[in-house]
Amino acid sequence: MDVKSRNCLLMNRQALEKDIKTSYIMDRMISDEVLTLQEEEKVKQQNTQKERAAMLINIILTKDNNSYRSFYNALLHEGYRDLAALLQDGIPAISSGNRKSSMDGMTSYVKTILCEGGVPQRPVVFVTRPKLVDAIKQKLRCLGSDPGWVTVYGMAGCGKTVLTAEALRDHQLLEDYFPGGVHWISVGKQDKAGLLIKLQNLCSRLENDSTLSQRPPLNIEEAKDRLRLLMLRKYPRSLLILDDIWDSWVLKAFDNQCQVLITSRDRSVTDAVAGNKYEVHVESGLAHEKGLEILSLFVNMKISELPEQANCLVRECKGSPLVISLIGALLRDFPSRWEYYLKQLQNKQFKRIRKSSSYDYEALDEAMSISVEQLNDNYKDYYKDLSILPKDVKVPTKVLCILWDMEIEEVEDILQEFVNKSLLFCDRNGNSFHYYLHDLQLDFLTEKNCNQLPELHKNIVNQYKKYYKLNTPVPSQEDCMYWYNFLAYHMAGANMQKELHDLMFSLDWIKAKTELVGPAHLIHEYVEYSSILDQKNGTVRENFQEFLSLNGHLLGRQPFPDIIQLGLCQPETSEVYQQAKLHAQRETGAFYLEWINKKSLKNLYRLVVRPHRDAVYHACFSKDRQRIASCGADKTLQVFKAESGERLVEISAHDDEILCCAFSADGEFVATCSADKKVKIWNSRTGQCRCVYEEHSEQVNCCQFSNRSGQYLLATCSNDTFIKLWDLNKKYCRNTMMGHLNSVNHCRFSPNDEYVASCSTDGTVKLWEARSANELKSIEIKDFFKNADEQPDDVEVLVKCCSWSRNGDMILVVAKNKLLLFDVKTCDVLTQVIVSHHSTIQYCDFCPGDELVAVALSHCSVELWNIKSLSKVAYCRGHMSWVHCVAFSPDGSLFLTSSDDQTIRIWETKKVCKSSDDVLKSELDVVFHNGEVMILAIYNQKHLQLINGNTDSVNMQTAAQESTISCCCLSEDLKFAAFGQESGTIKVLQLLDGKVLKSREAYRTSVQHCRFTSDCQTLISSAHDSVIQVWNWQLSECVFLRGHKEAIKDFRLLENSKLLSWSFDGTAKVWNITTGNTEKDFACHGGAVLSCAVSPDGSKFSSTSADKTAKIWSFESSSVLHELKGHEACVRCCTFSPNNKLLATGDDKGEIRIWDILTGALLHFCSPVTVDEGEPTHGGWVTDLSFSPDSKMLVSSGGYLKWWNVTTGESLQTFYTNGTNLKSIHVSPNFKVYVTVDNLGILYVLQKL
């Protein structure tokens, strides 16, 4: 150290020891690297403040000039300006030629310039933000040698000062642009007297080595003049930095043709001064990783070792550098208080997060409140109104126009004032502006105005009501989305129970809102505001919540379903049903249907969501059960709330179908794997891609994280026959497990993470040691599928999936249609069950309780089995297509299923286990008799039931038959019923008591159709062959109608003992059923004839075919009258109108055409206007059609039921059945009752309201 400096320090030692507190001063000196941590410790060990100061000075005296400068600077910045002045004369000089680089690459020339200019040191903990630092440097270079202003602006605590100081640590910048040096003044909030003192200090600092020391300037004008002369003559080409400027009048004192950089919260502060102006906006938050880096430096830990609360802290304060640094410094002193400070932040207890660094304000709230205090009084009130804005929401100007009852220009002027002062942020979207507050500003406002919040919420609701009166906003208005999303939030905030009740329980509001934003947000609101909504009666809220949860997948689609019709399908005790009924009765001319037998149906699922636009291959719960991740054929990953289905993250994740996804044990990450051969890891909350693994050479079928929190180990398996283990902290695969001979379909960690199980198309399940990747055991699953005469190699067994028991002692494996349970230690099979003879198992999962197993099947259903008693516990129907995945929640109380039908269903395990397994087959017969609807249905495959459709009661049920029943029919007088069986047997029974009267072994194949003649004495039937049998069952005589070359598709009775039949051979024939002779033969089509219909006058019939055409024929001339072309798929059904003028045809593309019988011209094309991508217009094939008696309406069945206006071709109503694939529709003569069965076996008796 220079002698001059050393003497100066010794001379003033007494004054220094008496006054200084060492802790913050040492922080600065450590960051300047002139003091070590050991030396700091030595100082801290002293008992009194004075002894600590003395020890620090002793240490400085042993060091070099840099430590003197650092000590001087620290005094200046910690508020000891009088003591710093005592040391000013001793500051050692340095020449610009000295470029000896220090440890951080900053030359001693730079250090000296900054030290002499009073530029603050780097904070103790510092992370780089190069983009912003470069932006400030670039603007400083723009000043060149011309006078001008650079404004670095942003909200409180965003790091303006630190970034500005960092930009100055650049040798080239200082030497080329500011060789006269830099002069830093911390201005802050000042009155005129305060500003004069600042100016006097600056002048005396600039005159420090002047031989003639002048008296201090006496007023601001004199100070301004003196400063101008000093800058011009003594410090040309120097930079003046004014830190923390609040008022534009302050700047006028420095407006003297020099180069100035200012930091401010107010962007408009330079409006009052002349010269070139440049701006740098400092964003309010750091990137998440940067925030974690700061915390890790404060607490001296690796980022990967930080507790989960670190992530939450950074998220909660939106990456605010100030808050992170404040809390980091507190945690350095109190390392166990992570949870405490997180709670303080979440609970807006800003006063508890007190000063623990050299920031100018005592606590966080003080820093923010000083900005607000700057506003004039009426602006303060407007700013207070913003306290009720929702977090993270950009609010359109129109909302605030309604709130303040002002013109748009007036509102924009007020808001611009807030934006200029960094109290509000603005986003420009085309011609409109959207405004938002930083979370910390909003938290500050809500804490400050907490007692007035209900009143402020009430005000905005009243202003909304005043503006919109009884109307609702329409989508073309810019404020529309805001009100649909947040009107309920404001009502709840104001505790306006009646208004909230009226809004949330209004079908009009639900319809409008779900059309715009889908159902998930509404479900979330029912949960969120349940305490207010349930004050009178919780049942109503439950009714509405259930209605949306179970119909949400329909409400999110195009064309938008009629919400009144959906409401009419609710139980009659439900408030939703009662409201829907009132609406339906009020709307004159509208077409609505009552589902009169719905009482028997119980919904077993809790929520249905449709997050994807294509098949959903996989879905899983997070460990806390709050979120669900799903993926599928649309190449996206979705993360949504398990309670409401509200979407949290949507990512276009891969270039091909995504086959599997998995949450990490702590829920931080989601892994996805795809047919594009890649494995990707995503942040589950932000959707950012963490890493991509590309070491598999074929499609990757499954990915699974280990079960322990904090240990990010991932297993993946692929068609390349390998299983790979990845450690998320490393770039490459940790281990590869080799041993399978074919594609590996599935892999799972054991509960203790010691083993990995894998299933392969090679017919084996293998167990591997996770640590060493060695194969431990191999189980040959194909051995369990061998018949006595088969060689082992003849059987291909694709092992689909496996699941571990909770204790890891057993493993469940599925292949083909079998469940196999193995003992892990011995590999012995403990249990095996054949689940189904008709479909294969797609997936299985063990319930955490170890007794229940859920099994997903290829025929749309899911079954629960008790693995101990080997019994089926429940049958879950609801999906309309293959179920790909089933997964229990970690506690086993829920399970989810995902399917080709684009939906994910969430089921309650207990509810499902109590359900019954009643299923009807889609083949039924209906007689409408004296106002009664009598239905003959096949129940659970082997019983016949006679059901009264009006009362939903079973009048008769037969005993179980020895073979499955395949078809049935009723006699018109309701005395007899007949049924055919898969064994080929036909039986006739008496309806009164269900007694079988006659039985005949008629066919070798399954009977397809049977019908009584009008006198009930004869039964006509067909099977999977080319012969029709006419059996007079009372006389036991039978006539065979032979002539078709292929199987009969169907037949229809005509008058005078005639019968029309049609076949897969492309022909139709007219028979005399008494003689068995063919009377007419029609070579109709090149492909199979799929349906025929007879005109009401009996002169014509129509035929439709797989060759995509329909034809109209004359019975008399046996010739074709018209060939109807235009369908783009198989034409599956047709029907004539009762007025004999029209023919309707329906095809497999879901389209219906209406033709003129006379001319063969196409009159109408019935198809919904807009349809979701990839969705057939009728939810599938059109399978049946029926006209109303006046020929003005048409009903069609397919994926669901639709009613059409024949004159316009427009859809009148759609009835969404729970299942799909409706094979037929039975319509009463007056066109008021409709009966059908869906593929889930649910019966629908619908009545026109």
Side-chain angles (χ1 to χ4, degrees):
M1 189 184 293
D2 288 356
V3 177
K4 184 183 171 192
S5 308
R6 189 180 172 80
N7 289 342
C8 191
L9 196 55
L10 289 166
M11 208 162 66
N12 297 298
R13 180 175 187 147
Q14 215 168 355
L16 290 164
E17 285 177 3
K18 197 166 82 181
D19 283 352
I20 63 171
K21 291 180 182 169
T22 53
S23 58
Y24 294 137
I25 288 172
M26 289 196 295
D27 278 351
R28 289 192 167 275
M29 293 179 74
I30 289 168
S31 75
D32 285 347
E33 295 171 4
V34 298
L35 195 71
T36 66
L37 292 171
Q38 289 81 356
E39 288 166 339
E40 180 191 35
E41 204 47 51
K42 208 167 164 184
V43 173
K44 282 183 175 173
Q45 282 167 3
Q46 307 309 309
N47 295 326
T48 65
Q49 180 183 314
K50 192 170 179 183
E51 285 169 359
R52 284 193 286 274
M55 176 56 76
L56 178 60
I57 291 165
N58 286 339
I59 291 169
I60 295 168
L61 285 168
T62 65
K63 292 181 176 286
D64 61 5
N65 290 342
N66 279 341
S67 54
Y68 186 94
R69 285 190 204 97
S70 176
F71 182 51
Y72 167 78
N73 249 0
L75 290 173
L76 211 56
H77 283 282
E78 289 303 328
Y80 301 109
R81 295 181 188 279
D82 49 345
L83 295 176
L86 297 176
L87 299 184
Q88 191 155 353
D89 291 342
I91 296 173
I94 197 157
S95 68
S96 97
N98 183 350
R99 282 187 177 233
K100 186 166 165 279
S101 180
S102 71
M103 278 165 64
D104 62 359
M106 202 166 73
T107 62
S108 39
Y109 164 65
V110 171
K111 277 192 172 179
T112 308
I113 295 285
L114 300 191
C115 189
E116 288 176 348
V119 176
Q121 304 289 342
R122 275 187 186 147
V124 181
V125 166
F126 172 75
V127 293
T128 55
R129 293 162 83 184
K131 216 164 136 191
L132 282 166
V133 170
D134 289 345
I136 297 170
K137 287 182 189 178
Q138 197 239 326
K139 298 299 182 201
L140 286 172
R141 290 187 191 105
C142 290
L143 284 176
S145 52
D146 299 328
W149 308 81
V150 174
T151 308
V152 178
Y153 72 95
M155 68 174 276
C158 66
K160 303 180 289 290
T161 302
V162 173
L163 289 165
T164 302
E166 192 56 28
L168 299 174
R169 291 186 180 96
D170 182 323
H171 188 110
Q172 211 62 51
L173 179 76
L174 296 182
E175 196 168 68
D176 295 352
Y177 291 89
F178 308 111
V182 295
H183 311 287
W184 185 292
I185 312 159
S186 295
V187 182
K189 185 85 192 81
Q190 296 298 343
D191 55 12
K192 289 197 170 162
L195 179 61
L196 181 58
I197 293 168
K198 293 272 177 195
L199 284 162
Q200 287 170 343
N201 286 345
L202 177 60
C203 289
S204 74
R205 197 163 104 198
L206 296 177
E207 292 166 341
N208 69 349
D209 62 347
S210 180
T211 44
L212 34 130
S213 194
Q214 303 181 44
R215 64 166 174 75
L218 299 175
N219 56 44
I220 289 174
E221 276 308 310
E222 187 185 337
K224 182 179 174 181
D225 267 354
R226 187 168 315 170
L227 186 58
R228 184 169 53 80
L229 290 170
L230 281 165
M231 297 300 278
L232 199 63
R233 293 175 185 169
K234 197 168 174 202
Y235 298 99
R237 294 189 66 205
S238 63
L239 177 68
L240 189 58
I241 298 119
L242 307 176
D243 187 26
D244 198 21
I245 292 289
W246 285 82
D247 303 291
S248 50
W249 65 265
V250 169
L251 284 192
K252 288 184 178 167
F254 299 93
D255 188 4
N256 48 24
Q257 295 294 299
C258 57
Q259 294 167 311
V260 187
L261 181 149
I262 66 167
T263 71
S264 178
R265 302 181 195 186
D266 188 345
R267 178 186 184 180
S268 62
V269 79
T270 54
D271 289 355
V273 292
N276 296 328
K277 292 170 192 167
Y278 304 96
E279 287 179 351
V280 178
H281 176 234
V282 179
E283 299 112 358
S284 52
L286 296 162
H288 192 81
E289 289 299 317
K290 288 274 183 203
L292 292 177
E293 191 184 334
I294 290 183
L295 286 174
S296 72
L297 289 168
F298 266 114
V299 296
N300 198 19
M301 291 165 86
K302 287 182 184 162
I303 292 182
S304 57
E305 292 168 356
L306 291 173
E308 175 49 30
Q309 289 93 330
N311 281 303
C312 301
L313 277 167
V314 177
R315 269 200 299 273
E316 190 65 37
C317 72
K318 282 289 197 303
S320 161
L322 166 64
V323 181
I324 293 171
S325 301
L326 286 178
I327 291 175
L330 291 165
L331 285 164
R332 187 173 54 186
D333 296 336
F334 303 105
S336 59
R337 288 193 180 175
W338 287 95
E339 193 59 43
Y340 173 74
Y341 290 124
L342 176 60
K343 281 215 173 74
Q344 300 311 331
L345 199 54
Q346 285 168 337
N347 300 334
K348 327 278 181 268
Q349 297 295 320
F350 299 128
K351 286 188 174 63
R352 304 262 176 97
I353 302 168
R354 289 210 149 275
K355 174 175 175 172
S356 59
S357 77
S358 54
Y359 193 60
D360 290 353
Y361 306 101
E362 263 303 304
L364 190 51
D365 60 334
E366 204 182 309
M368 287 186 277
S369 94
I370 205 144
S371 297
V372 180
E373 289 312 313
Q374 278 298 101
L375 297 168
N376 67 35
D377 288 350
N378 56 345
Y379 275 46
K380 279 182 196 163
D381 285 340
Y382 291 131
Y383 196 63
K384 180 166 74 178
D385 285 342
L386 306 184
S387 312
I388 52 162
L389 295 186
K391 263 193 179 177
D392 299 323
V393 173
K394 295 180 178 175
V395 180
T397 320
K398 173 90 181 285
V399 171
L400 297 159
C401 293
I402 292 170
L403 171 60
W404 293 330
D405 205 356
M406 285 183 187
E407 292 298 315
I408 198 156
E409 291 76 11
E410 291 177 90
V411 171
E412 281 176 356
D413 288 347
I414 293 169
L415 297 173
Q416 192 54 43
E417 179 72 13
F418 300 152
V419 171
N420 286 340
K421 295 202 171 351
S422 298
L423 288 169
L424 188 67
F425 295 90
C426 174
D427 237 18
R428 185 163 196 159
N429 189 359
N431 293 327
S432 64
F433 293 100
H434 286 67
Y435 298 91
Y436 60 100
L437 288 161
H438 187 280
D439 279 16
L440 291 173
Q441 291 167 328
L442 191 55
D443 290 344
F444 164 72
L445 276 175
T446 48
E447 189 193 9
K448 186 176 179 218
N449 304 312
C450 56
N451 296 330
Q452 292 159 280
L453 290 179
E455 208 45 53
L456 294 172
H457 279 294
K458 191 174 183 179
N459 182 36
I460 196 169
V461 174
N462 290 336
Q463 289 296 99
Y464 165 85
K465 283 160 73 179
K466 179 180 161 189
Y467 184 85
Y468 280 108
K469 300 186 172 66
L470 294 172
N471 306 315
T472 49
V474 292
S476 56
Q477 295 164 314
E478 65 161 350
D479 60 325
C480 161
M481 291 300 279
Y482 181 85
W483 298 117
Y484 280 117
N485 279 320
F486 301 110
L487 185 57
Y489 155 80
H490 289 305
M491 288 176 172
N495 203 13
M496 298 168 88
Q497 199 239 341
K498 184 189 180 302
E499 287 84 349
L500 186 64
H501 196 280
D502 293 347
L503 182 80
M504 298 286 289
F505 301 151
S506 146
L507 280 178
D508 290 333
W509 177 259
I510 291 169
K511 179 180 191 295
K513 178 158 177 167
T514 45
E515 276 187 31
L516 268 177
V517 297
H521 190 257
L522 255 171
I523 298 169
H524 167 73
E525 287 180 328
Y526 285 123
V527 176
E528 185 85 355
Y529 309 133
S530 55
S531 57
I532 302 172
L533 294 169
D534 292 355
Q535 277 173 18
K536 284 184 186 166
N537 177 3
T539 322
V540 177
R541 195 251 321 149
E542 283 166 13
N543 291 163
F544 276 89
Q545 191 176 326
E546 184 176 85
F547 169 60
L548 279 173
S549 297
L550 303 183
N551 292 288
H553 60 300
L554 299 173
L555 294 168
R557 63 163 45 163
Q558 295 291 333
F560 196 82
D562 187 324
I563 202 156
I564 308 300
Q565 183 57 63
L566 288 178
L568 288 168
C569 297
Q570 295 301 293
E572 289 180 14
T573 51
S574 163
E575 178 70 24
V576 181
Y577 169 81
Q578 286 157 18
Q579 270 201 43
K581 186 113 186 212
L582 284 172
H583 271 273
Q585 287 163 345
R586 277 204 305 265
E587 283 188 45
T588 48
F591 188 94
Y592 287 111
L593 298 139
E594 183 86 88
W595 181 5
I596 54 180
N597 69 319
K598 67 186 167 205
K599 284 189 214 65
S600 57
L601 188 77
K602 287 183 179 64
N603 272 315
L604 303 177
Y605 29 87
R606 169 169 166 168
L607 179 67
V608 186
V609 283
R610 189 163 169 258
H612 294 273
R613 287 270 170 257
D614 209 331
V616 189
Y617 292 144
H618 197 83
C620 57
F621 284 97
S622 61
K623 202 75 169 269
D624 61 4
R625 215 189 80 173
Q626 299 301 307
R627 294 176 297 156
I628 290 169
S630 64
C631 61
D634 65 1
K635 309 174 195 172
T636 69
L637 167 69
Q638 308 280 352
V639 180
F640 54 90
K641 288 184 182 173
E643 178 85 64
S644 63
E646 194 174 358
R647 183 174 288 150
L648 300 169
V649 175
E650 177 178 23
I651 308 164
S652 293
H654 286 267
D655 304 325
D656 207 335
E657 297 185 333
I658 306 176
L659 305 176
C660 187
C661 58
F663 272 108
S664 61
D666 59 5
E668 271 306 298
F669 300 106
V670 179
T672 54
C673 61
S674 159
D676 67 7
K677 310 175 193 173
K678 292 175 188 165
V679 178
K680 297 188 182 183
I681 312 294
W682 308 88
N683 182 311
S684 70
R685 296 177 198 281
T686 64
Q688 283 178 314
C689 186
R690 156 104 183 232
C691 46
V692 181
Y693 298 127
E694 300 187 56
E695 290 184 35
H696 281 293
S697 57
E698 291 191 42
Q699 81 170 29
V700 189
N701 295 314
C702 178
C703 55
Q704 169 77 24
F705 274 104
S706 55
N707 300 298
R708 270 201 296 272
S709 261
Q711 177 194 343
Y712 298 121
L713 204 57
L714 180 77
T716 59
C717 60
S718 157
N719 283 3
D720 62 12
T721 74
F722 301 137
I723 302 109
K724 288 181 179 284
L725 286 188
W726 314 83
D727 184 331
L728 260 57
N729 298 317
K730 302 205 170 60
K731 281 186 181 173
Y732 304 104
C733 166
R734 188 175 107 170
N735 276 327
T736 301
M737 301 169 179
M738 295 177 270
H740 282 294
L741 306 174
N742 208 327
S743 305
V744 188
N745 304 310
H746 195 253
C747 57
R748 277 282 178 272
F749 276 99
S750 63
N752 63 4
D753 293 334
E754 284 180 20
Y755 308 108
V756 174
S758 60
C759 306
S760 166
T761 308
D762 65 12
T764 66
V765 169
K766 290 183 187 289
L767 301 184
W768 315 78
E769 199 172 56
R771 186 168 292 171
S772 65
N774 291 336
E775 183 182 324
L776 288 175
K777 292 173 182 173
S778 184
I779 306 171
E780 292 283 343
I781 302 296
K782 58 185 178 190
D783 292 353
F784 296 91
F785 290 87
K786 279 195 303 217
N787 296 327
D789 54 349
E790 281 178 339
Q791 294 301 311
D793 298 337
D794 294 348
V795 195
E796 188 187 65
V797 176
L798 192 154
V799 187
K800 271 277 177 77
C801 160
C802 62
S803 183
W804 292 83
S805 63
R806 187 162 50 175
N807 59 7
D809 291 350
M810 299 180 288
I811 190 161
L812 181 74
V813 179
V814 301
K816 291 192 172 180
N817 59 351
K818 267 189 191 178
L819 277 179
L820 300 132
L821 187 67
F822 292 95
D823 182 298
V824 172
K825 279 197 183 109
T826 63
C827 293
D828 293 342
V829 68
L830 302 172
T831 312
Q832 52 177 315
V833 191
I834 293 177
V835 170
S836 164
H837 290 284
H838 304 287
S839 64
T840 56
I841 303 174
Q842 299 295 310
Y843 206 87
C844 73
D845 197 28
F846 237 132
C847 181
D850 278 357
E851 279 194 16
L852 279 186
V853 172
V855 180
L857 298 163
S858 58
H859 70 230
C860 321
S861 68
V862 174
E863 294 179 357
L864 294 191
W865 284 73
N866 184 314
I867 204 73
K868 287 188 178 164
S869 63
L870 302 188
S871 59
K872 191 196 318 185
V873 178
Y875 174 80
C876 313
R877 51 190 184 172
H879 282 293
M880 302 192 188
S881 190
W882 280 37
V883 184
H884 288 291
C885 167
V886 57
F888 281 99
S889 62
D891 62 359
S893 62
L894 304 173
F895 63 94
L896 61 76
T897 53
S898 73
S899 160
D900 260 356
D901 67 11
Q902 306 178 6
T903 67
I904 294 165
R905 288 167 195 255
I906 292 131
W907 312 71
E908 290 185 48
T909 312
K910 270 187 187 158
K911 230 188 202 182
V912 168
C913 290
K914 289 177 186 161
S915 66
S916 65
D917 191 2
D918 302 348
V919 179
L920 301 183
K921 275 184 83 165
S922 53
E923 291 75 11
L924 48 80
D925 196 19
V926 182
V927 171
F928 299 96
H929 183 73
N930 297 336
E932 285 207 319
V933 184
M934 300 309 292
I935 301 157
L936 186 68
I938 303 164
Y939 168 74
N940 283 359
Q941 311 278 349
K942 293 190 175 181
H943 301 266
L944 265 195
Q945 277 189 349
L946 183 67
I947 301 165
N948 183 321
N950 306 61
T951 60
D952 198 26
S953 54
V954 177
N955 289 9
M956 182 277 299
Q957 180 174 317
T958 65
Q961 302 299 310
E962 65 290 343
S963 161
T964 300
I965 303 173
S966 51
C967 62
C968 62
C969 66
L970 278 168
S971 65
E972 283 175 22
D973 58 9
L974 292 176
K975 287 183 179 173
F976 307 108
F979 61 90
Q981 292 174 268
E982 283 185 6
S983 61
T985 305
I986 303 172
K987 294 181 182 179
V988 176
L989 54 86
Q990 197 164 272
L991 280 178
L992 195 64
D993 52 8
K995 182 184 167 192
V996 174
L997 302 173
K998 282 281 171 75
S999 173
R1000 165 181 161 77
E1001 289 180 19
Y1003 298 95
R1004 288 183 181 171
T1005 59
S1006 175
V1007 185
Q1008 290 300 294
H1009 301 283
C1010 59
R1011 277 189 204 105
F1012 284 105
T1013 52
S1014 52
D1015 62 5
C1016 309
Q1017 295 192 10
T1018 304
L1019 185 72
I1020 302 168
S1021 62
S1022 67
H1024 267 311
D1025 65 14
S1026 59
V1027 180
I1028 298 169
Q1029 299 192 14
V1030 181
W1031 175 36
N1032 185 322
W1033 60 273
Q1034 291 187 330
L1035 300 175
S1036 299
E1037 292 171 356
C1038 192
V1039 175
F1040 296 90
L1041 310 182
R1042 301 179 200 273
H1044 282 295
K1045 297 201 169 46
E1046 286 182 46
I1048 309 292
K1049 179 71 175 80
D1050 205 349
F1051 55 82
R1052 165 145 183 199
L1053 278 158
L1054 307 173
E1055 291 176 350
N1056 309 323
S1057 304
K1058 304 277 194 298
L1059 178 127
L1060 173 70
S1061 68
W1062 53 96
S1063 157
F1064 287 98
D1065 62 12
T1067 66
K1069 296 179 189 293
V1070 177
W1071 309 83
N1072 182 318
I1073 58 172
T1074 317
T1075 63
N1077 296 332
T1078 311
E1079 296 200 347
K1080 301 253 179 191
D1081 211 330
F1082 298 87
C1084 295
H1085 295 273
V1089 181
L1090 299 178
S1091 73
C1092 288
V1094 178
S1095 63
D1097 63 1
S1099 67
K1100 307 174 195 70
F1101 79 95
S1102 60
S1103 64
T1104 71
S1105 166
D1107 67 8
K1108 304 182 187 176
T1109 66
K1111 293 180 182 178
I1112 300 174
W1113 303 82
S1114 158
F1115 275 122
E1116 196 179 337
S1117 66
S1118 302
S1119 60
V1120 65
L1121 300 174
H1122 300 290
E1123 184 173 359
L1124 311 175
K1125 291 181 175 176
H1127 283 286
E1128 293 170 17
C1130 296
V1131 189
R1132 190 145 304 265
C1133 56
C1134 56
T1135 186
F1136 284 94
S1137 63
N1139 65 7
N1140 215 14
K1141 290 181 180 176
L1142 308 171
L1143 176 76
T1145 55
D1147 68 23
D1148 285 4
K1149 209 178 157 194
E1151 294 172 352
I1152 296 162
R1153 286 167 165 75
I1154 296 172
W1155 312 84
D1156 185 316
I1157 294 176
L1158 205 59
T1159 64
L1162 176 66
L1163 299 175
H1164 290 294
F1165 171 69
C1166 300
S1167 169
V1169 191
T1170 52
V1171 171
D1172 276 358
E1173 193 184 332
E1175 180 130 336
T1177 50
H1178 207 303
W1181 301 350
V1182 180
T1183 53
D1184 201 0
L1185 295 160
S1186 183
F1187 278 99
S1188 61
D1190 61 5
S1191 306
K1192 288 181 180 175
M1193 282 169 77
L1194 178 73
V1195 61
S1196 59
S1197 65
Y1200 30 78
L1201 297 175
K1202 280 188 91 69
W1203 284 260
W1204 307 88
N1205 179 326
V1206 172
T1207 327
T1208 63
E1210 286 172 5
S1211 167
L1212 296 170
Q1213 188 54 272
T1214 303
F1215 185 92
Y1216 289 98
T1217 47
N1218 285 32
T1220 180
N1221 297 357
L1222 314 173
K1223 283 196 178 168
S1224 62
I1225 172 105
H1226 298 263
V1227 184
S1228 65
N1230 63 3
F1231 204 70
K1232 285 191 175 168
V1233 181
Y1234 314 86
V1235 182
T1236 189
V1237 170
D1238 65 20
N1239 65 338
L1240 305 177
I1242 298 169
L1243 176 70
Y1244 301 86
V1245 181
L1246 309 176
Q1247 188 162 22
K1248 184 177 181 290
L1249 262 181

